[in-house]
Amino acid sequence: MSSLCRWLLLQAFVSSAATAHALPVIATPVVDEAAVLGPADEETIAAALVAMRAKTGVQMAVLTVTTLGGEPIEDYAQAVFDAWGGGSKTRNDGVLFVLAINDRQSRLELGYGIEPLITDARAVEMLDRLRPALRAGAYGEAGLEIVTAVAEATDHLTPESTIDAPSRPL
């Protein structure tokens, strides 16, 4: 078999494996596919997300899933984020929090426009602060905590403002 044929077969396999399970649709601020949030938690988190968007223009969603099915959380979160298309197209300021319960993994996926405000290091710190709540099974508390952290990092924005990279000390 030629190397071109092997490559084409591999691409077909990778493509079919990537679509083996449907990605969740983010149609509301909170999508609790893992069913770990009570109605009051879901309502509180959704209200905080709606308030943040009204104040800052930043659109964030919270997604819980039972498992990633062996897929790396980085790839899964990016695929869901791309399919969702949240945030302003001009500011590219969407934020997605993914929590995979059985895999004990979480990810904060950020639009490029928001990265000057929430660096990779800051995102890791935000996620690390969730550990006590997650270990206790307090998923609603963890969800609200991450929304609050993102809201604090973006609270100086308005829906009309541009997002500038922070100035660096010389």
Side-chain angles (χ1 to χ4, degrees):
M1 182 183 300
S2 74
S3 60
L4 176 60
C5 287
R6 279 193 296 268
W7 182 82
L8 289 172
L9 285 171
L10 177 62
Q11 292 307 306
F13 174 77
V14 169
S15 178
S16 66
T19 57
H21 60 86
L23 292 174
V25 175
I26 307 295
T28 58
V30 179
V31 178
D32 183 23
E33 288 204 339
V36 294
L37 301 173
D41 287 333
E42 194 169 330
E43 187 176 314
T44 300
I45 294 167
L49 290 166
V50 169
M52 177 174 60
R53 184 162 192 202
K55 180 181 185 303
T56 67
V58 173
Q59 184 179 16
M60 180 177 179
V62 170
L63 169 65
T64 69
V65 295
T66 304
T67 183
L68 301 167
E71 188 171 353
I73 194 164
E74 298 82 5
D75 296 345
Y76 183 85
Q78 184 68 58
V80 173
F81 184 87
D82 290 344
W84 169 48
S88 161
K89 300 303 176 222
T90 55
R91 292 194 328 183
N92 196 0
D93 60 356
V95 178
L96 176 64
F97 173 62
V98 177
L99 179 60
I101 303 301
N102 290 352
D103 301 324
R104 300 174 55 124
Q105 294 184 49
S106 61
R107 171 107 177 145
L108 198 57
E109 194 66 38
L110 306 166
Y112 288 120
I114 207 81
E115 288 181 355
L117 302 176
I118 304 175
T119 62
D120 289 343
R122 189 168 185 187
V124 168
E125 289 173 9
M126 290 174 167
L127 294 171
D128 283 348
R129 281 189 255 143
L130 303 180
R131 283 185 183 166
L134 294 174
R135 284 186 182 131
Y139 302 114
E141 181 183 322
L144 186 57
E145 190 171 334
I146 196 72
V147 171
T148 301
V150 171
E152 288 171 357
T154 61
D155 70 350
H156 64 286
L157 297 175
T158 66
E160 299 80 28
S161 63
T162 59
I163 301 174
D164 299 318
S167 58
R168 293 182 182 171
L170 297 178

